[in-house]
Amino acid sequence: MSSMQVLHEPYQSAMEVFTPEQRTKHHMRGLLPATPLSPEAFEKRILADFDAETDPLKKFLILSDLADRSLHLYYYVITRNFGKLNPFIYTPTVGLYCQKYHLCHRPKRVLYYTLRDEGHIDEITSNWPQKEVDIVVMTDGGRILGLGDQGANGIGIPIGKLALYCAAAGSDPEKVLPVQIDVGTSNMKLRDDPLYLGLNQDRLRGDAYYAFVGTVVESIHKRWPKALIQFEDFGMVNALDLLDIWRNKILSFNDDIQGTGAVTLAALINACRARGKTVKDLVNDRILFAGAGSAAVGIADAIVAGMVVEGVPKEEAVKSFFFVNTKGLVGKGRTDLNPSQIRYQRQDFPGGTDLIATAKAIKPTIVIGVSGTPNQFTEELVSIMKENTPCPIIFPLSNPTSQAECTAEQVFAWTGGKAVFAAGSPFAPVTKDGVTLHTNQCNNMYIFPALGLAAAKVHATRVTDRMLYRSAAALAEQVSEEEVKKGILFPPLSQIRDISHKIATAVVHEAMDEGVVPEPPCKKEEVHEWLRTQMYDPAKKLAEL
Ligand SMILES: O=C([O-])CC(=O)C(=O)O
Ligand SMILES: [Mg+2]
């Protein structure tokens, strides 16, 4: 590679941060101004640009343009400022980015497999320049956050998720692959836009859809048999079906079902601790879901698994759950349900009642929003909850912030500050009568980067239910007794690297115990230290360029 190519290659370039020695090594005399910047000085400059901008999408683009110029400087800045920058590489801003992706498109390091490429799938796979791939995040754009079908614009999500893999857990950015499967879109606003860049046709469905996705998955698996595939933001039925098809064939998981399930279980483990109870006591709760899609099923499955581990019989555990979707309560007489929803269908309540009527009938103590519908959690709903519990647990989990079922301000106003609150996107803490009330971000970013890193690094053959359960438990136990009493459910994002490291260790231990690691890289007691040696460190990498 010529010196000019090194300077312009995002994997190789440290731009003005190249030291005099690196400039000599890469024959760069004359290609850069005289004075090198330290990484810290560069970081200050970027943050000043970032702070001066008020438009969130432009803030997002300042960071993403940096990633396109120098990946290691990008991760240097992101890892050192994770709490502050995370909302601008991920939810909520990544939602805006997806909606506008076609209007601010720059060529990215991503792969698009489109229906037009049938017969050329392996060729596309072989076009990826990197020899090794550890992690693939794949979407078909069918259900992007709570924003519905975003077609080919959905690629913003795999890009954002993989940025978190590298920043939050230390996956190697040279070994991650974002994939968009473009099978058309039912989003007419995009299709009517002459600047839309994806396939302008209706979304493919049915057997042909599964066959096409299958060809892509197999092609990727053939080239990188040890890579982990994370399915992300597929429509509900496709997500559930694809998970069923692939989870026992290749190393894969669905983040919206299993990642969201695990992180919400962690939140509930700690909400139970705050009450002086454990997850098995959830048999005495009524957990009402707004939404009955893949996230609802995934969360309920994860909580049931957690209760079963603690000795609650499964038939008892499922009785705590109630799902309401656009057609009302998933109850007796509903004939429009898929097999996953049928597992939670109530035979003791008539199907079809709306959220409020259901709440009046069942007296919920916990509500979880996964409907993508803002304002669904109302004061009326919360006042019904207050009749049944002194401290309602209220989790509006839909993303981005604009789709959350209610806000933190509302919850604390309606409950006089007596609620445990967690949302999928970040909410600022609320101050009431001089007391700071904690808002928690219950987002799968606490789980998937560590889970995926762990599974991929030890070449696990599967992501098992117990690995998911351990990831939730390992996350929950990183919050102290005093913190949970204050309504804090998660450790601070500023410590995400350490948090992920501990979760990854627990996941590897579990995977080794379950025998899904054919060739363990070290002894069990050495896993934590071994993982440290495997985690990408941007400062170290910059020095080595
Ligand atoms: O991306 C996020 O913030 C969480 C998530 O998976 C989703 O909402 O689909
Ligand atoms: Mg998702």
Side-chain angles (χ1 to χ4, degrees):
M1 204 181 273
S2 76
S3 51
M4 197 56 103
Q5 283 168 328
V6 171
L7 198 54
H8 290 278
E9 161 60 54
Y11 287 100
Q12 302 293 328
S13 187
M15 308 192 295
E16 48 274 39
V17 177
F18 271 133
T19 61
E21 295 74 29
Q22 288 173 321
R23 293 169 188 215
T24 306
K25 172 175 152 193
H26 294 298
H27 309 286
M28 279 180 181
R29 185 178 292 275
L31 300 188
L32 286 161
T35 307
L37 283 187
S38 66
E40 293 88 344
F42 182 87
E43 174 189 19
K44 282 207 182 81
R45 195 182 91 194
I46 281 286
L47 290 179
D49 281 357
F50 179 88
D51 289 337
E53 183 54 68
T54 51
D55 178 344
L57 185 57
K58 290 200 178 128
K59 281 179 182 283
F60 183 100
L61 292 174
I62 287 174
L63 299 173
S64 111
D65 283 347
L66 173 58
D68 291 342
R69 287 179 294 131
S70 169
L71 210 58
H72 304 302
L73 274 176
Y74 169 77
Y75 283 114
Y76 178 84
V77 175
I78 302 286
T79 47
R80 288 162 54 97
N81 301 276
F82 190 78
K84 171 183 169 118
L85 299 182
N86 164 58
F88 300 91
I89 56 174
Y90 187 53
T91 192
T93 321
V94 73
L96 271 180
Y97 178 60
C98 288
Q99 289 171 302
K100 300 264 162 82
Y101 182 79
H102 59 300
L103 303 176
C104 51
H105 178 262
R106 318 242 194 306
K108 290 276 175 197
R109 289 184 176 262
V110 300
L111 282 182
Y112 299 96
Y113 295 88
T114 87
L115 284 179
R116 223 175 266 154
D117 302 309
E118 276 184 311
H120 298 273
I121 299 303
D122 284 343
E123 181 189 331
I124 295 178
T125 308
S126 70
N127 281 344
W128 186 249
Q130 248 51 39
K131 282 210 177 60
E132 288 177 55
V133 167
D134 286 345
I135 314 271
V136 179
V137 177
M138 176 185 285
T139 190
D140 71 351
R143 192 280 292 147
I144 291 298
L145 308 173
L147 301 169
D149 186 344
Q150 299 295 326
N153 284 16
I155 187 62
I157 293 294
I159 294 171
K161 294 272 171 182
L162 285 166
L164 293 193
Y165 261 105
C166 304
S171 280
D172 182 343
E174 296 184 36
K175 297 186 188 164
V176 299
L177 168 59
V179 168
Q180 172 73 41
I181 300 189
D182 187 351
V183 291
T185 177
S186 54
N187 183 330
M188 285 319 289
K189 194 161 162 239
L190 285 177
R191 287 186 54 195
D192 288 342
D193 187 333
L195 294 177
Y196 179 57
L197 297 165
L199 273 190
N200 197 337
Q201 64 184 65
D202 195 19
R203 192 168 270 283
L204 180 71
R205 295 169 212 281
D207 291 348
Y209 168 85
Y210 293 105
F212 184 70
V213 177
T215 315
V216 174
V217 170
E218 270 160 9
S219 174
I220 290 173
H221 184 62
K222 198 162 57 191
R223 181 162 175 205
W224 299 287
K226 294 190 167 140
L228 171 132
I229 299 185
Q230 170 167 326
F231 294 105
E232 189 72 48
D233 289 11
F234 286 76
M236 170 181 68
V237 175
N238 294 343
L240 289 162
D241 286 348
L242 289 171
L243 182 62
D244 267 356
I245 296 171
W246 295 106
R247 67 186 298 173
N248 292 319
K249 289 208 181 86
I250 60 169
L251 180 63
S252 60
F253 72 100
N254 182 296
D255 183 40
D256 302 293
I257 300 172
Q258 297 165 295
T260 305
V263 77
T264 311
L265 172 61
L268 278 183
I269 291 174
N270 283 345
C272 290
R273 282 170 72 201
R275 296 163 158 182
K277 305 221 169 297
T278 74
V279 165
K280 78 169 176 298
D281 299 306
L282 292 173
V283 281
N284 300 319
D285 278 278
R286 273 90 47 211
I287 307 174
L288 176 58
F289 284 78
S294 51
V297 171
I299 293 168
D301 284 353
I303 302 171
V304 168
M307 293 165 77
V308 169
V309 168
E310 287 203 25
V312 180
K314 195 166 175 182
E315 321 73 73
E316 279 304 305
V318 293
K319 288 189 191 150
S320 291
F321 297 85
F322 299 83
F323 292 180
V324 172
N325 66 4
T326 49
K327 307 228 165 59
L329 177 68
V330 172
K332 197 172 163 78
R334 289 267 306 255
T335 53
D336 59 328
L337 305 173
N338 65 45
S340 300
Q341 294 167 322
I342 289 172
R343 288 191 274 117
Y344 293 98
Q345 183 173 15
R346 304 296 306 210
Q347 294 303 338
D348 46 352
F349 288 86
T353 51
D354 68 16
L355 197 65
I356 291 293
T358 304
K360 285 184 179 150
I362 70 154
K363 307 189 189 320
T365 48
I366 300 173
V367 292
I368 299 180
V370 280
S371 63
T373 312
N375 304 319
Q376 245 204 326
F377 291 172
T378 56
E379 186 164 9
E380 186 181 8
L381 174 68
V382 172
S383 51
I384 298 169
M385 294 183 79
K386 283 196 305 186
E387 290 165 19
N388 308 304
T389 171
C391 186
I393 296 175
I394 302 176
F395 290 176
L397 297 187
S398 290
N399 294 310
T401 323
S402 60
Q403 309 309 109
E405 287 76 5
C406 64
T407 68
E409 292 266 353
Q410 288 173 324
V411 163
F412 290 126
W414 296 335
T415 58
K418 291 207 170 41
V420 177
F421 177 90
S425 295
F427 278 85
V430 175
T431 310
K432 207 171 162 25
D433 308 325
V435 180
T436 304
L437 300 164
H438 289 278
T439 61
N440 298 283
Q441 191 180 0
C442 177
N443 189 290
N444 48 32
M445 74 176 148
Y446 274 111
I447 297 288
F448 71 79
L451 175 74
L453 172 94
K457 283 291 174 200
V458 297
H459 304 314
T461 51
R462 299 289 175 267
V463 175
T464 66
D465 286 345
R466 284 207 60 99
M467 284 157 73
L468 283 151
Y469 174 71
R470 277 302 305 153
S471 69
L475 171 58
E477 70 199 24
Q478 294 184 55
V479 185
S480 72
E481 229 38 60
E482 300 88 82
E483 286 167 330
V484 293
K485 297 253 147 61
K486 289 189 204 144
I488 299 174
L489 305 178
F490 296 104
L493 277 177
S494 54
Q495 288 165 24
I496 191 71
R497 276 280 177 135
D498 280 346
I499 299 166
S500 297
H501 190 176
K502 287 185 186 134
I503 298 173
T505 303
V507 170
V508 172
H509 284 165
E510 186 64 45
M512 286 166 84
D513 285 351
E514 285 197 285
V516 293
V517 185
E519 291 173 37
C522 60
K523 294 202 201 102
K524 244 177 114 180
E525 59 274 21
E526 293 161 358
V527 166
H528 195 68
E529 276 316 306
W530 176 79
L531 274 172
R532 192 189 307 283
T533 66
Q534 302 295 303
M535 287 166 74
Y536 163 69
D537 175 351
K540 189 158 158 257
K541 185 73 200 190
L542 275 173
E544 288 167 3
L545 286 175

